[in-house]
Amino acid sequence: MEQLTGYKLPSKQCKALEKAGIRFLRRPDGRPSTTREWLTGSASHHPANNDRDNGFNLEALS
């Protein structure tokens, strides 16, 4: 985790992961824990937001 975040302190590691949008769990000892899937985003914890503005004005096509 130190190599991933650049920090030795678990609290700073957690903050760096949060800032990067990487999902993790805090272990009982305070250290963050994550998985390869969470790092790569293949196990996204955010539901798809289909209402998001994607820059296209589809109403202009009709």
Side-chain angles (χ1 to χ4, degrees):
M1 199 59 65
E2 181 180 340
Q3 198 172 22
L4 175 66
T5 64
Y7 294 103
K8 289 185 179 186
L9 291 174
S11 61
K12 294 221 179 216
Q13 291 172 348
C14 291
K15 286 181 183 179
L17 292 171
E18 287 173 352
K19 185 175 180 181
I22 298 172
R23 186 174 180 195
F24 68 95
L25 298 175
R26 284 185 212 267
R27 299 183 340 188
D29 64 0
R31 295 182 179 277
S33 178
T34 192
T35 66
R36 183 179 307 269
E37 289 80 17
W38 287 351
L39 289 172
T40 62
S42 60
S44 178
H45 64 288
H46 297 293
N49 184 355
N50 295 330
D51 297 327
R52 185 179 337 164
D53 179 21
N54 59 11
F56 294 102
N57 183 359
L58 297 178
E59 292 176 347
L61 296 175
S62 47

